[in-house]
């Protein structure tokens, strides 16, 4: 019996061997599926394993949510018509920031606080103290409204260097609660970067870059730069001190003279004192090592004994003249002095001294 005849007999036969072969085949297929899934997951081809933890909602979903809210407020026909007009020219490839702006515009149709907030965020700051809005902290207001208004206002605050106020509004917001998740993560990262909060900043920017293809290109590019800057920031460096000094400058310009500004100022002074002390210690150690290298341990001089001189005590007398000075040095010695100055001081000092020498030479010739 050949293989073809055997296979046909097995298939046609309704015997226990047929049922056994079917069960065995099912088991083998399940094993292959499980092994394939494990292999693809380990190689990074499993979409579920690599899916980003956030995504941007579609403009249709955002539009529906905004109309659900305004319809619940029993709007007048005129208000409903204006809401339709806000969404009428929505492009197919709308950005999430565009969706956020339209949502806020719909909120402003039926809420005075939202209307004022929208107006404030469309112009530069009018005073050093940004206005407060009760709606943003109203526990009775729908979270869809408060969360997106908080994002809109915090974004404006961060753009005008009100980082502390922006951070307070952004605290607790997550990508799934707003219509512009990339904008939320980006400005959370910007605030953490400007306030030198390294750990939280890196974590937030990493979360933004999870959906690199979804986030706007400008956000992704800047997020990589901010993350690299935070990653390389050393708290004991002069760069860190300089940034804290710039933060104090910003706070003072905004009229912030409270405990946080004072604490930052004290921290800057303490860091500078520590750096100066470390430099002094290194300088002392360097001087000590240089002094020890000039000693001759094979013939140490006795401290309480005056060394006996064997010379006659006379030196060669030279007439340096009344006009003698740096300008009268021989060219070779003058160049050696200039080289020494060039090693010890910035370049501008060398240029100034060269001009000084030229002036002395010109006066002598005259």
């Amino acid at each position: 019996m050949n293989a073809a005849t055997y296979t046909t007999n097995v298939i046609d036969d309704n015997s226990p061997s047929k049922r056994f072969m079917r069960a065995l085949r099912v088991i083998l297929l399940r094993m292959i599926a499980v092994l394939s899934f494990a292999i693809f997951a380990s190689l990074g081809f499993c979409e579920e394993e690599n899916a980003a933890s956030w995504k941007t909602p579609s403009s249709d979903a955002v539009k529906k949510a905004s109309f659900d809210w305004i319809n619940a407020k029993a709007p007048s026909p005129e208000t409903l018509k204006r809401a339709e007009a806000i969404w009428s020219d929505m492009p197919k490839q709308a950005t999430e920031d565009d969706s956020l702006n339209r949502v806020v515009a719909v909120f402003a149709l039926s809420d005075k606080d939202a209307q004022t907030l929208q107006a404030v965020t469309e112009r530069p700051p009018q005073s050093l103290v940004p206005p407060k809005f009760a709606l943003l902290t109203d526990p009775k207001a729908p979270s869809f409204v408060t969360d997106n208004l908080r994002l809109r206002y915090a974004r404006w605050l961060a753009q005008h260097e009100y980082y502390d106020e922006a951070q307070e509004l952004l605290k607790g917001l997550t990508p799934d609660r707003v219509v512009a998740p990339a904008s939320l993560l980006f400005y959370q990262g910007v605030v953490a970067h400007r306030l030198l909060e390294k750990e939280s900043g890196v974590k937030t920017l990493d979360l933004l870059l999870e959906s690199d293809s979804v986030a706007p290109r400008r956000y992704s590019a800047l997020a990589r730069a901010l993350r690299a800057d935070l990653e390389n920031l050393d708290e004991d460096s002069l760069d860190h001190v300089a940034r804290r000094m710039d933060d104090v400058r910003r706070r003072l310009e905004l009229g912030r003279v409270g405990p946080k500004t004072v604490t930052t100022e004290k921290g800057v002074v303490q860091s500078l004192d520590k750096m100066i002390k470390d430099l002094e210690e290194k300088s002392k150690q360097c001087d000590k090592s240089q002094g020890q290298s000039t000693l001759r341990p094979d013939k140490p001089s006795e401290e309480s004994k005056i060394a006996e001189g064997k010379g006659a005590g006379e030196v060669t007398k030279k007439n340096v003249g009344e006009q003698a000075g740096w300008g009268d040095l021989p060219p070779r010695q003058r160049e050696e002095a200039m080289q020494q100055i060039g090693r010890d001081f910035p370049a501008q000092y060398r240029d100034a001294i060269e001009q000084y020498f030229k002036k002395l030479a010109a006066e002598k010739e005259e």
Side-chain angles (χ1 to χ4, degrees):
M1 181 183 296
N2 56 28
T5 305
Y6 176 78
T7 303
T8 302
N9 291 338
V10 170
I11 294 175
D12 294 338
D13 186 17
N14 194 16
S15 62
S17 61
K18 178 182 177 182
R19 294 194 297 271
F20 172 77
M21 292 298 293
R22 284 181 176 177
L24 181 61
R25 183 172 61 181
V26 171
I27 293 173
L28 288 173
L29 289 174
R30 289 179 178 176
M31 291 178 64
I32 292 172
V34 172
L35 289 173
S36 300
F37 180 84
I39 292 172
F40 275 86
S42 63
L43 293 177
F45 293 111
C46 180
E47 183 178 357
E48 286 77 6
E49 290 293 329
N50 289 331
S53 60
W54 64 273
K55 62 180 181 179
T56 301
S58 66
S59 56
D60 290 337
V62 175
K63 178 180 178 180
K64 181 180 182 304
S66 67
F67 273 97
D68 288 344
W69 173 81
I70 198 170
N71 285 327
K73 297 180 73 67
S76 64
E78 179 64 24
T79 300
L80 199 58
K81 185 178 179 180
R82 292 171 64 187
E84 289 284 357
I86 290 173
W87 289 98
S88 61
D89 61 340
M90 186 73 172
K92 293 183 178 179
Q93 302 296 330
T95 65
E96 61 171 37
D97 287 342
D98 191 17
S99 295
L100 177 63
N101 294 336
R102 292 172 191 269
V103 165
V104 171
V106 172
F107 294 159
L109 294 176
S110 299
D111 190 279
K112 292 184 178 179
D113 243 13
Q115 185 178 7
T116 305
L117 186 149
Q118 182 191 29
V120 167
T121 55
E122 290 178 348
R123 62 174 185 260
Q126 303 299 304
S127 66
L128 292 178
V129 181
K132 294 184 178 181
F133 300 96
L135 177 62
L136 301 182
T137 56
D138 185 359
K140 297 181 181 180
S143 60
F144 176 69
V145 177
T146 56
D147 292 346
N148 286 287
L149 286 177
R150 283 167 60 187
L151 173 57
R152 170 67 178 262
Y153 193 34
R155 188 177 65 176
W156 179 86
L157 289 169
Q159 290 169 352
H160 294 89
E161 296 191 331
Y162 293 96
Y163 300 119
D164 298 280
E165 292 83 353
Q167 185 181 55
E168 189 65 27
L169 287 174
L170 294 173
K171 187 183 301 181
L173 289 182
T174 54
D176 58 307
R177 293 171 56 177
V178 295
V179 301
S183 182
L184 168 66
L185 294 172
F186 176 75
Y187 279 99
Q188 284 177 333
V190 167
V191 169
H193 176 267
R194 293 295 296 177
L195 296 180
L196 303 178
E197 297 179 357
K198 181 175 179 177
E199 184 177 352
S200 62
V202 170
K203 183 178 179 181
T204 301
L205 294 170
D206 282 341
L207 185 58
L208 170 62
L209 295 173
E210 278 184 4
S211 293
D212 193 12
S213 60
V214 177
R217 186 174 300 177
R218 66 186 187 280
Y219 286 168
S220 298
L222 287 173
R224 289 192 185 91
L226 294 177
R227 189 197 183 287
D229 188 57
L230 281 175
E231 190 71 25
N232 297 323
L233 184 62
D234 184 3
E235 292 187 1
D236 296 328
S237 66
L238 190 59
D239 179 33
H240 195 276
V241 174
R243 296 190 191 203
R244 281 184 285 164
M245 292 174 68
D246 184 64
D247 186 55
V248 171
R249 185 270 315 160
R250 176 188 66 85
R251 293 175 185 277
L252 294 177
E253 287 183 355
L254 294 175
R256 306 294 189 267
V257 293
K260 198 164 187 178
T261 302
V262 174
T263 301
T264 305
E265 288 177 333
K266 290 181 178 179
V268 168
V269 174
Q270 291 173 357
S271 297
L272 290 174
D273 286 342
K274 183 178 181 299
M275 288 182 179
I276 293 172
K277 185 177 180 180
D278 292 342
L279 289 173
E280 289 176 346
E281 290 295 330
K282 291 179 180 179
S283 178
K284 290 178 181 179
Q285 293 176 3
C286 183
D287 293 341
K288 185 177 180 181
S289 61
Q290 290 179 353
Q292 291 176 350
S293 63
T294 58
L295 295 178
R296 297 183 59 187
D298 54 334
K299 294 183 179 180
S301 177
E302 297 181 9
E303 296 181 0
S304 59
K305 181 179 179 181
I306 300 176
E308 296 180 358
K310 297 182 180 180
E314 298 180 357
V315 295
T316 304
K317 297 180 180 180
K318 291 185 179 180
N319 183 14
V320 296
E322 295 180 357
Q323 300 297 327
W326 282 95
D328 297 316
L329 287 175
R332 182 176 179 181
Q333 295 181 15
R334 185 185 305 176
E335 183 60 29
E336 290 178 356
M338 291 300 299
Q339 290 178 0
Q340 181 66 30
I341 291 170
R343 286 192 298 268
D344 296 340
F345 300 99
Q348 60 266 29
Y349 287 95
R350 179 184 176 92
D351 295 338
I353 294 173
E354 283 182 350
Q355 295 298 324
Y356 174 69
F357 283 160
K358 290 179 181 178
K359 183 179 179 181
L360 288 180
E363 291 178 352
K364 182 177 180 181
E365 290 177 0
E366 291 177 1

